[in-house]
Amino acid sequence: MTDAIRQILENHKTIAVVGLSPKSHRDSYEVAAYMQSHGYRIVPINPAAQVTEILGEKVYPSMLEAAQHERIDLVDVFRNSADVPPVMDDAIAIGAKAVWLQLGIEHAEAAARAQAAGLMVVQNRCLLIEHRRLAR
């Protein structure tokens, strides 16, 4: 798994963050800000956001809409496990290269579907923690 994580972090620099909150105390914001500070491009996805920008980037209501304007390499998911299947379907549809499900988020069936479509999938791991661990 470490090799797959390293490959994702080294090769996929534009990250759509599904469920990115504009609230700085939220995990999604902290992880996205950290990744942005380490040279990654963040594409916020949040249909309920009451703001037009998060971390200086335009907020999109859906990944499909974002993909019309941005090239998305990695999809980082901050949603409940039950909400993962449509996110995986969108990641496949837009041609993303990898999907990352944050701590506590897993969906075996959706992950298998994404892997069958050629996407790399990481489940139940924190992007920030793994980046720090591999940066040592």
Side-chain angles (χ1 to χ4, degrees):
M1 179 57 77
T2 298
D3 289 340
I5 291 170
R6 181 174 279 112
Q7 185 178 352
I8 290 170
L9 291 171
E10 289 176 358
N11 298 310
H12 305 305
K13 300 295 186 178
T14 302
I15 307 171
V17 183
V18 178
L20 178 53
S21 174
K23 299 175 182 172
S24 62
H25 67 278
R26 292 285 183 88
D27 291 341
S28 62
Y29 187 97
E30 181 183 350
V31 170
Y34 170 87
M35 296 307 290
Q36 188 180 54
S37 74
H38 284 83
Y40 293 81
R41 171 87 194 287
I42 300 300
V43 180
I45 311 293
N46 187 331
Q50 302 290 320
V51 297
T52 58
E53 287 188 355
I54 300 174
L55 295 168
E57 297 287 350
K58 177 180 172 44
V59 177
Y60 292 95
S62 73
M63 210 178 343
L64 296 176
E65 186 171 328
Q68 295 175 12
H69 306 279
E70 311 283 348
R71 172 74 185 119
I72 297 168
D73 302 321
L74 171 61
V75 177
D76 185 22
V77 182
F78 285 91
R79 299 288 312 268
N80 293 324
S81 294
D83 298 328
V84 167
V87 174
M88 283 293 190
D89 291 341
D90 287 352
I92 293 166
I94 67 165
K97 304 299 181 200
V99 178
W100 192 292
L101 304 180
Q102 287 292 140
L103 283 174
I105 306 170
E106 294 182 87
H107 198 289
E109 181 182 308
R113 198 166 55 246
Q115 289 170 327
L119 281 73
M120 299 178 74
V121 178
V122 174
Q123 298 187 79
N124 193 27
R125 293 195 183 224
C126 177
L127 188 59
L128 182 156
I129 290 170
E130 295 301 323
H131 184 273
R132 280 186 181 155
R133 181 176 68 84
L134 293 175
R136 293 180 188 168

